[in-house]
Amino acid sequence: MSPDNTFVVVGGGLAAGKAVEALRQHGHDGRLVVVADEQEKPYIRPPLSKGYLLGKEARDSLYVHPDGWYAEHDVELLLGTTARALDPAAREVELDGGRRLPYTKLLLATGSSPRRLTVPGAEQDNVLYLRRVGDSDRLKAAFTPGARIVVIGAGWIGMETAAAARLAGAEVTVVEHSELPLLKVLGREAAEVFAALHTEHGVVLHPDAQVERITGTDGRADGVRLADGTHLPADAVVVGVGAAPNVRLAEEAGLDVRNGVVTDAHLRTSVPDVYAAGDVANAHHPFLDRHIRVEHWANALNQPDTAAQGMLGKDAVYDRLPYFYTDQYDLGMEYTGWTEPGGYDRVVFRGDRAAREFIAFWMSGNRVLAGMNVNVWDVVEPIKALITSRADVDAARLADPDVPLDSVAP
């Protein structure tokens, strides 16, 4: 195996695992190296706030590939190893201790990291975040019957961990600066569904709140003080206030970095022979005709195949619509498409919102931009078709469950 044809993947998550798989499938027969700062071989992160956290999935189920796969496919795993610097001119990655690893092609799959809370007291031991498998283990240990858990942040991580804590029997309070959980990502109509879901399961919601400090003694938090003087007792505090892409390596190497590592639709960065995929990639999307960075499992699963083909000189673009899912209590949801605050006119519902069995459609004029199916299954493909057709649809027919989805568009 020639060292002169070395492909390097920096990162240890799903994107890294799928990238080396795709490179071998598409014909790369040279040296293939994964550089990951965790001791674990590449693993999947969504179960950390879902099945694994709930105790429904075993640790072995997290890994992208079983034991032995990497050796069988001649993939070198440099685990517990930090990529300190990237030198595009020399085509080298500097590792711990000054060792330099040459590359022919390089994929950045460095992912993202939780944004840290900066208020006084946030550094205490039982102020917890969720990104790595060890974080999920700590949450699982904290979520015990009767434990007082305060969750700061009502995004997907916040609400999934709140659900897991309640299902474990903990007393849960969610503190959020917005009026409703998930308001920014879903808008009022759909956010109200999730607020009602958690309230019905005994979660106390504190909307429009600002955290002043984390109280505690001897390095352990015992509560959260809000700006209005409210003190929320806590045995553990979970922080889920968003994530930031891990761009230091790219930025210091002079790559174009704007809300992630900027790439074209082929996942090529601004530097020759360097690609990016997964959470860290701010990729141009041909259908949406804009750059988007999506911090969800489907991108990490599917983008590496496009990047691998590009690294091997093949012409491939990444044009899949964004997709993500969540499981909370008895609610399962899939979301397909792309919209943002102010980017749509209305939300049309099909089904029973009160019973939490419905499909919601985000619309601009008469066009469907995105769809979310809640406890309604096997509809992702017709939702995709409605979006990609760019067709004008009749909102009344869209809302009518007796009209098949695949016949809504003319």
Side-chain angles (χ1 to χ4, degrees), residues 234-258:
D235 297 305
V237 177
V238 180
V239 180
V241 292
N246 295 325
V247 297
R248 180 196 59 80
L249 201 64
E251 198 165 40
E252 292 178 358
L255 278 68
D256 186 4
V257 172
R258 286 173 280 130

Side-chain angles (χ1 to χ4, degrees), residues 115-389:
R115 296 186 186 278
R116 315 301 284 192
L117 205 61
T118 57
V119 300
E123 73 289 347
Q124 297 177 92
D125 286 344
N126 52 335
V127 177
L128 308 176
Y129 296 81
L130 179 60
R131 178 63 184 175
R132 302 188 171 196
V133 65
D135 300 332
S136 189
D137 290 335
R138 293 188 71 194
L139 291 179
K140 194 183 301 187
F143 294 171
T144 58
R148 299 166 300 176
I149 306 296
V150 176
V151 179
I152 299 174
W156 294 115
I157 292 295
M159 302 316 289
E160 288 178 358
T161 55
R166 278 300 294 144
L167 289 170
E171 300 174 9
V172 181
T173 301
V174 175
V175 176
E176 169 61 15
H177 61 78
S178 297
E179 182 184 352
L180 291 164
L182 301 166
L183 181 62
K184 182 178 180 181
V185 291
L186 294 182
R188 174 174 302 277
E189 299 90 342
E192 288 173 344
V193 173
F194 285 88
L197 171 71
H198 281 269
T199 300
E200 288 174 20
H201 282 84
V203 173
V204 177
L205 301 178
H206 265 273
D208 300 317
Q210 182 177 343
V211 175
E212 184 178 88
R213 68 183 302 114
I214 310 295
T215 61
T217 55
D218 298 327
R220 285 193 63 81
D222 61 19
V224 176
R225 187 172 302 283
L226 305 182
D228 65 3
T230 301
H231 184 260
L232 305 171
D235 297 305
V237 177
V238 180
V239 180
V241 292
N246 295 325
V247 297
R248 180 196 59 80
L249 201 64
E251 198 165 40
E252 292 178 358
L255 278 68
D256 186 4
V257 172
R258 286 173 280 130
N259 182 31
V261 179
V262 177
T263 79
D264 62 13
H266 305 275
L267 303 179
R268 299 177 297 204
T269 72
S270 59
V271 168
D273 298 323
V274 178
Y275 293 71
D279 287 11
V280 76
N282 185 5
H284 184 266
H285 195 285
F287 177 79
L288 300 170
D289 194 25
R290 58 170 295 168
H291 280 82
I292 62 170
R293 188 175 69 84
V294 180
E295 296 173 353
H296 292 296
W297 161 86
N299 260 31
L301 177 70
N302 296 308
Q303 278 189 342
D305 188 79
T306 299
Q309 291 189 62
M311 293 167 77
L312 291 167
K314 301 177 182 180
D315 186 22
V317 299
Y318 189 78
D319 57 3
R320 285 175 176 261
L321 289 175
Y323 166 92
F324 63 91
Y325 71 99
T326 190
D327 295 302
Q328 299 174 32
Y329 311 109
D330 57 354
L331 182 150
M333 178 276 279
E334 298 173 291
Y335 183 103
T336 306
W338 176 265
T339 186
E340 53 190 348
Y344 61 94
D345 305 326
R346 56 184 165 157
V347 181
V348 173
F349 287 88
R350 164 188 285 238
D352 191 338
R353 195 175 359 166
R356 292 192 281 271
E357 293 183 5
F358 64 87
I359 308 173
F361 300 93
W362 282 258
M363 301 189 68
S364 176
N366 293 317
R367 278 187 52 203
V368 176
L369 304 177
M372 179 178 78
N373 48 299
V374 173
N375 290 339
V376 176
W377 306 110
D378 301 321
V379 293
V380 168
E381 291 307 316
I383 290 172
K384 283 182 183 176
L386 282 171
I387 297 168
T388 57
S389 72

